[in-house]
Amino acid sequence: MAEQPSIVIKGGTVVDATGERVADVVIVDGAVKAVGADLSADRTLDATGCIVSPGLVDVHTHLREPGKEEAETVETGARGAALGGYTAILAMPNTTPAIDSAAVVRQVLGLGRTAPCDVFTSGAITVGRGGEQLAPMAEMAALGVKVFTDDGAGVQDNRLMRRAMEYAVGLGVTLAQHCEDDALCGGGHMHEGEWSARLGIAGQPAEAEELMVMRDIALARLTGCRIHFQHMSTARSVAMIRDALAVGLPVTAEATPHHFTLTHAECASYDPVFKVNPPLRTEEDVAAVRAGLADGTIATIATDHAPHTPESKELPFDQAPPGMLGLETALALALTELDMPLGHLLAALSWNPARAAGIEDRHGRPVAAGEPANLCVFDPEATWTVRADAMASRSRNTPYEGREVRGKVRHTILAGEPVVIAGEAQR
Ligand code: DOR
Ligand code: ZN
């Protein structure tokens, strides 16, 4: 194969798991060729004032294909991801049909092959995400699936969850849990508390999440299974994970930008754009999630990017589906709202999630000669205003419309190819 033109990313500051240095980065044939001072190549990408980091990794993306292509496709979701600085995303299985068999895994991976971001998929734990019968995890694991979850719902049955964990240990895969006790949440549309009472909207108590976190920590102890806690939203959930880590249990956790930036008070607008599962919680919960991110209890920031069509999000609060867009705003919200050193923040957005997804061989790598060129170049000081209309997503349900944020993606490089240049998607 003919050599592709070489590229130099010039004038930036490289930040990766090994530290921080001012350096140019040369890319040849999909890999980093050199990192150092005064480098040149056939083609130059300007990184003046920018951070050059490993590409971001999202372990919680809802692509709506197959089944709800009017809300998002693999391609539009991946384009939004690339614009947000992501080079890898992990698709959630709550599509129609659910991603619960080798056939659907193959379909989604096939659709992702030409996307401007590496598309990995999770598989469902139970058939149809129905919570009654274990899905054929082995045939999905044979295709490279490393994370299994019924996301959109939690596995309710204790005995079935134990069996799933034993199965997962045998396969060497991770289970991820959407922690929500259906019996306690049933009929609720927001966090149960002072605002739900005032607004007359039925609530979902924090305890509905916490009971499942507690159970799964117990089952991880019993089975030795690696468990990843998705979108942690309450102070007591964070505390339980902190304690589980302290005694060496194999747990990891993620938090979303909306759970570290927004509270249940937003629901006072009755605008379903603020409806999400788990729901927006109290100020104390938001503070605890931020503290969990700061001390590493929550090692990963995940978007829970959940596109929904305008028609569905224009329904009354109690009828609209839960979920918010996330891929194109996550980095900026983290930079704007979290008071953390850049290396720590990028750990949570790149190399920690790469490890959680089992893709650390290609993503979240150090920026060094010989490594795959999956990179994100962003200006940490550039400010911009969030506009749904400017997004690549097919949907418009961002809760941050009109908000001024800091931190803008300039270029995204996927396997050596600039898929975003100067903030513009190239394909
Ligand atoms: O708000 C949510 N939306 N939470 C979920 O768990 C599922 C997601 C979706 O698929 O829309
Ligand atoms: Zn979920």
Side-chain angles (χ1 to χ4, degrees), residues 165-197:
M165 284 189 168
E166 289 166 347
Y167 192 8
V169 169
L171 294 170
V173 298
T174 300
L175 296 188
Q177 190 78 279
H178 167 115
C179 291
E180 208 168 49
D181 182 281
D182 286 349
L184 280 177
C185 282
H189 303 285
M190 65 176 290
H191 173 68
E192 181 178 320
E194 52 167 318
W195 278 104
S196 65

Side-chain angles (χ1 to χ4, degrees), residues 229-360:
F229 290 103
Q230 299 175 288
H231 41 50
M232 289 290 90
S233 71
T234 88
R236 286 180 299 262
S237 291
V238 178
M240 286 188 280
I241 290 160
R242 187 175 288 119
D243 291 348
L245 285 166
V247 297
L249 291 173
V251 304
T252 54
E254 66 182 41
T256 68
H258 47 273
H259 290 120
F260 65 71
T261 58
L262 303 172
T263 72
H264 58 162
E266 301 284 356
C267 300
S269 63
Y270 286 98
D271 186 340
V273 83
F274 297 109
K275 182 174 178 179
V276 67
N277 280 338
L280 302 177
R281 307 265 189 204
T282 68
E283 274 174 39
E284 293 72 29
D285 292 316
V286 169
V289 168
R290 287 179 179 225
L293 283 164
D295 75 7
T297 299
I298 300 174
T300 289
I301 295 171
T303 67
D304 196 359
H305 179 82
H308 290 286
T309 60
E311 301 79 69
S312 66
K313 275 295 198 182
E314 275 157 18
L315 292 167
F317 201 93
D318 61 350
Q319 290 165 42
M324 304 171 164
L325 299 184
L327 287 166
E328 298 181 60
T329 47
L331 173 63
L333 289 163
L335 287 164
T336 308
E337 298 279 340
L338 296 177
D339 188 20
M340 298 194 323
L342 203 48
H344 187 109
L345 200 134
L346 288 168
L349 284 160
S350 176
W351 45 98
N352 292 342
R355 219 176 310 118
I359 57 171
E360 68 274 24

Side-chain angles (χ1 to χ4, degrees), residues 56 78-86 326-332 376 409 412 420:
L56 310 187
R79 187 169 300 125
L83 286 164
Y86 290 88
L327 287 166
E328 298 181 60
T329 47
L331 173 63
C376 170
V409 173
T412 305
V420 173

Side-chain angles (χ1 to χ4, degrees), residues 65 74-75 102-115 119-121 143:
E65 198 174 3
V74 171
E75 192 191 327
V104 189
V105 166
R106 258 192 222 104
Q107 181 187 357
V108 172
L109 295 180
L111 290 164
R113 221 151 272 146
T114 52
V119 177
F120 298 88
T121 188
L143 294 173

